[in-house]
Short mmCIF file of all heavy atoms in Angstrom, two decimals:
data_model
loop_
_atom_site.label_atom_id
_atom_site.label_comp_id
_atom_site.label_asym_id
_atom_site.label_seq_id
_atom_site.Cartn_x
_atom_site.Cartn_y
_atom_site.Cartn_z
N ASN A 918 29.79 38.10 -88.88
CA ASN A 918 31.17 38.64 -88.89
C ASN A 918 31.20 40.14 -89.22
O ASN A 918 32.07 40.57 -90.00
CB ASN A 918 32.13 37.82 -89.70
CG ASN A 918 33.53 38.28 -89.56
OD1 ASN A 918 34.03 38.59 -88.39
ND2 ASN A 918 34.32 38.15 -90.57
N VAL A 919 30.14 40.85 -88.78
CA VAL A 919 30.14 42.23 -88.97
C VAL A 919 29.84 42.95 -87.69
O VAL A 919 29.26 42.26 -86.74
CB VAL A 919 29.08 42.69 -90.02
CG1 VAL A 919 29.49 42.15 -91.35
CG2 VAL A 919 27.71 42.41 -89.60
N GLN A 943 37.88 49.84 -82.50
CA GLN A 943 38.48 48.95 -83.48
C GLN A 943 39.37 47.85 -82.91
O GLN A 943 39.30 46.71 -83.35
CB GLN A 943 39.29 49.84 -84.54
CG GLN A 943 39.67 49.11 -85.76
CD GLN A 943 38.43 48.76 -86.56
OE1 GLN A 943 37.58 49.67 -86.80
NE2 GLN A 943 38.28 47.49 -86.96
N ASN A 947 38.42 43.99 -83.43
CA ASN A 947 39.42 43.05 -84.12
C ASN A 947 39.66 41.84 -83.22
O ASN A 947 39.76 40.70 -83.64
CB ASN A 947 40.65 43.88 -84.41
CG ASN A 947 40.54 44.77 -85.50
OD1 ASN A 947 39.62 44.68 -86.31
ND2 ASN A 947 41.44 45.78 -85.59
N VAL A 956 38.64 37.44 -89.64
CA VAL A 956 39.06 38.78 -89.76
C VAL A 956 37.72 39.68 -90.00
O VAL A 956 36.98 39.19 -90.85
CB VAL A 956 39.99 39.03 -90.97
CG1 VAL A 956 40.25 40.54 -91.17
CG2 VAL A 956 41.29 38.30 -90.78
N LEU A 957 37.53 40.62 -89.25
CA LEU A 957 36.27 41.46 -89.32
C LEU A 957 35.93 41.83 -90.72
O LEU A 957 36.76 42.39 -91.49
CB LEU A 957 36.44 42.71 -88.47
CG LEU A 957 35.16 43.54 -88.33
CD1 LEU A 957 34.16 42.87 -87.50
CD2 LEU A 957 35.50 44.96 -87.60
N TYR A 958 34.76 41.55 -91.18
CA TYR A 958 34.27 41.77 -92.53
C TYR A 958 34.02 43.27 -92.80
O TYR A 958 34.38 43.86 -93.78
CB TYR A 958 33.03 41.07 -92.85
CG TYR A 958 32.57 41.14 -94.35
CD1 TYR A 958 33.44 41.00 -95.33
CD2 TYR A 958 31.27 41.34 -94.63
CE1 TYR A 958 32.95 41.12 -96.72
CE2 TYR A 958 30.71 41.45 -95.91
CZ TYR A 958 31.68 41.30 -96.98
OH TYR A 958 31.16 41.46 -98.21
N GLY A 959 33.47 43.94 -91.71
CA GLY A 959 33.19 45.38 -91.81
C GLY A 959 32.28 45.85 -90.77
O GLY A 959 31.81 45.07 -89.84
N MET A 960 31.88 47.02 -90.82
CA MET A 960 30.99 47.70 -89.84
C MET A 960 29.90 48.54 -90.37
O MET A 960 30.24 49.43 -91.29
CB MET A 960 31.88 48.47 -88.83
CG MET A 960 31.14 48.89 -87.58
SD MET A 960 32.19 49.69 -86.22
CE MET A 960 33.81 49.49 -86.82
N SER A 991 33.71 59.40 -93.31
CA SER A 991 34.22 59.15 -94.67
C SER A 991 35.71 58.83 -94.71
O SER A 991 36.22 57.93 -95.33
CB SER A 991 33.89 60.34 -95.65
OG SER A 991 34.43 60.13 -96.93
N LEU A 993 37.40 57.70 -92.23
CA LEU A 993 37.61 56.44 -91.57
C LEU A 993 37.42 55.23 -92.50
O LEU A 993 37.79 54.11 -92.35
CB LEU A 993 36.70 56.32 -90.42
CG LEU A 993 36.99 57.08 -89.15
CD1 LEU A 993 36.00 56.89 -88.08
CD2 LEU A 993 38.36 56.70 -88.59
N GLY A 994 36.62 55.47 -93.64
CA GLY A 994 36.31 54.37 -94.64
C GLY A 994 34.89 54.03 -94.79
O GLY A 994 34.71 53.07 -95.52
N TYR A 995 34.00 54.71 -94.14
CA TYR A 995 32.57 54.41 -94.31
C TYR A 995 32.19 54.83 -95.72
O TYR A 995 32.55 55.80 -96.29
CB TYR A 995 31.80 55.10 -93.29
CG TYR A 995 31.69 54.36 -91.97
CD1 TYR A 995 32.53 54.72 -90.94
CD2 TYR A 995 30.88 53.32 -91.75
CE1 TYR A 995 32.47 54.11 -89.66
CE2 TYR A 995 30.91 52.63 -90.57
CZ TYR A 995 31.69 53.04 -89.50
OH TYR A 995 31.63 52.42 -88.28
N LYS A 996 31.19 53.99 -96.27
CA LYS A 996 30.70 54.23 -97.60
C LYS A 996 29.11 54.20 -97.44
O LYS A 996 28.61 53.38 -96.65
CB LYS A 996 31.13 53.26 -98.62
CG LYS A 996 32.66 53.32 -98.85
CD LYS A 996 33.17 52.27 -99.84
CE LYS A 996 34.66 52.22 -100.01
NZ LYS A 996 35.14 51.30 -101.00
N PHE A 1021 28.41 51.43 -94.60
CA PHE A 1021 29.21 50.26 -94.23
C PHE A 1021 30.62 50.63 -94.45
O PHE A 1021 31.05 51.21 -95.39
CB PHE A 1021 28.78 49.07 -95.13
CG PHE A 1021 29.38 47.76 -94.76
CD1 PHE A 1021 28.94 47.13 -93.57
CD2 PHE A 1021 30.42 47.26 -95.44
CE1 PHE A 1021 29.46 45.85 -93.23
CE2 PHE A 1021 30.98 45.95 -95.14
CZ PHE A 1021 30.50 45.33 -93.92
N MET A 1022 31.44 50.23 -93.45
CA MET A 1022 32.93 50.38 -93.66
C MET A 1022 33.55 48.99 -93.81
O MET A 1022 33.70 48.19 -92.84
CB MET A 1022 33.56 51.07 -92.40
CG MET A 1022 35.01 51.28 -92.40
SD MET A 1022 35.66 52.07 -91.01
CE MET A 1022 35.36 50.97 -89.71
N PRO A 1023 33.89 48.68 -95.07
CA PRO A 1023 34.45 47.35 -95.33
C PRO A 1023 35.93 47.26 -94.84
O PRO A 1023 36.66 48.24 -94.99
CB PRO A 1023 34.26 47.13 -96.85
CG PRO A 1023 34.32 48.64 -97.34
CD PRO A 1023 33.64 49.41 -96.28
N SER A 1024 36.33 46.13 -94.39
CA SER A 1024 37.70 45.99 -94.02
C SER A 1024 38.55 46.05 -95.29
O SER A 1024 39.72 46.53 -95.21
CB SER A 1024 38.02 44.64 -93.41
OG SER A 1024 37.31 44.63 -92.04
N ASP A 1025 38.03 45.61 -96.41
CA ASP A 1025 38.76 45.73 -97.71
C ASP A 1025 38.28 47.07 -98.30
O ASP A 1025 37.18 47.16 -98.83
CB ASP A 1025 38.38 44.64 -98.67
CG ASP A 1025 38.94 44.72 -100.04
OD1 ASP A 1025 39.76 45.70 -100.26
OD2 ASP A 1025 38.66 43.89 -100.87
N GLU A 1026 39.15 48.07 -98.32
CA GLU A 1026 38.75 49.40 -98.75
C GLU A 1026 38.47 49.40 -100.32
O GLU A 1026 37.81 50.41 -100.73
CB GLU A 1026 39.87 50.39 -98.45
CG GLU A 1026 41.12 50.21 -99.11
CD GLU A 1026 42.25 51.14 -98.75
OE1 GLU A 1026 42.05 51.76 -97.57
OE2 GLU A 1026 43.10 51.40 -99.47
N GLU A 1027 38.82 48.41 -100.97
CA GLU A 1027 38.49 48.37 -102.45
C GLU A 1027 37.11 47.74 -102.62
O GLU A 1027 36.63 47.83 -103.85
CB GLU A 1027 39.57 47.59 -103.21
CG GLU A 1027 40.94 48.09 -103.08
CD GLU A 1027 41.10 49.42 -103.57
OE1 GLU A 1027 40.44 49.74 -104.66
OE2 GLU A 1027 41.85 50.33 -102.91
N GLN A 1028 36.40 47.30 -101.66
CA GLN A 1028 35.12 46.62 -101.81
C GLN A 1028 34.09 47.70 -102.31
O GLN A 1028 34.04 48.73 -101.79
CB GLN A 1028 34.71 46.02 -100.53
CG GLN A 1028 33.36 45.24 -100.66
CD GLN A 1028 33.02 44.50 -99.41
OE1 GLN A 1028 33.92 44.19 -98.57
NE2 GLN A 1028 31.78 44.20 -99.18
N ALA A 1029 33.34 47.39 -103.40
CA ALA A 1029 32.46 48.35 -103.99
C ALA A 1029 31.02 48.06 -103.87
O ALA A 1029 30.12 48.73 -104.29
CB ALA A 1029 32.83 48.44 -105.46
N GLU A 1030 30.67 46.83 -103.26
CA GLU A 1030 29.25 46.49 -103.15
C GLU A 1030 29.13 45.52 -101.98
O GLU A 1030 30.17 44.94 -101.49
CB GLU A 1030 28.69 45.86 -104.43
CG GLU A 1030 29.48 44.69 -104.92
CD GLU A 1030 28.97 44.20 -106.27
OE1 GLU A 1030 28.15 45.00 -106.90
OE2 GLU A 1030 29.34 43.08 -106.68
N LEU A 1031 27.95 45.43 -101.48
CA LEU A 1031 27.58 44.58 -100.31
C LEU A 1031 26.40 43.69 -100.69
O LEU A 1031 25.54 44.14 -101.34
CB LEU A 1031 27.34 45.39 -99.06
CG LEU A 1031 27.29 44.75 -97.76
CD1 LEU A 1031 28.67 44.17 -97.41
CD2 LEU A 1031 26.88 45.74 -96.65
N GLU A 1032 26.49 42.41 -100.07
CA GLU A 1032 25.35 41.46 -100.34
C GLU A 1032 24.02 42.04 -99.73
O GLU A 1032 24.05 42.34 -98.54
CB GLU A 1032 25.70 40.18 -99.71
CG GLU A 1032 26.95 39.52 -100.26
CD GLU A 1032 28.20 40.01 -99.42
OE1 GLU A 1032 28.17 40.97 -98.74
OE2 GLU A 1032 29.26 39.24 -99.56
N LEU A 1069 28.35 50.27 -102.88
CA LEU A 1069 28.81 51.14 -101.85
C LEU A 1069 29.39 52.42 -102.44
O LEU A 1069 30.24 52.34 -103.32
CB LEU A 1069 29.97 50.36 -101.11
CG LEU A 1069 29.55 49.26 -100.12
CD1 LEU A 1069 30.76 48.38 -99.77
CD2 LEU A 1069 29.02 49.89 -98.89
N LEU A 1070 28.77 53.53 -102.09
CA LEU A 1070 29.15 54.88 -102.71
C LEU A 1070 29.80 55.73 -101.76
O LEU A 1070 29.76 55.66 -100.57
CB LEU A 1070 27.88 55.54 -103.27
CG LEU A 1070 26.96 54.68 -104.15
CD1 LEU A 1070 25.70 55.44 -104.50
CD2 LEU A 1070 27.76 54.36 -105.42
#
Side-chain angles (χ1 to χ4, degrees):
N918 189 35
V919 298
Q943 194 65 51
N947 287 341
V956 174
L957 184 68
Y958 186 48
M960 189 170 359
S991 176
L993 285 177
Y995 278 98
K996 300 178 183 181
F1021 188 73
M1022 180 176 64
S1024 293
D1025 177 4
E1026 63 182 24
E1027 299 300 321
Q1028 186 173 335
E1030 56 188 11
L1031 192 64
E1032 301 88 342
L1069 288 165
L1070 304 176

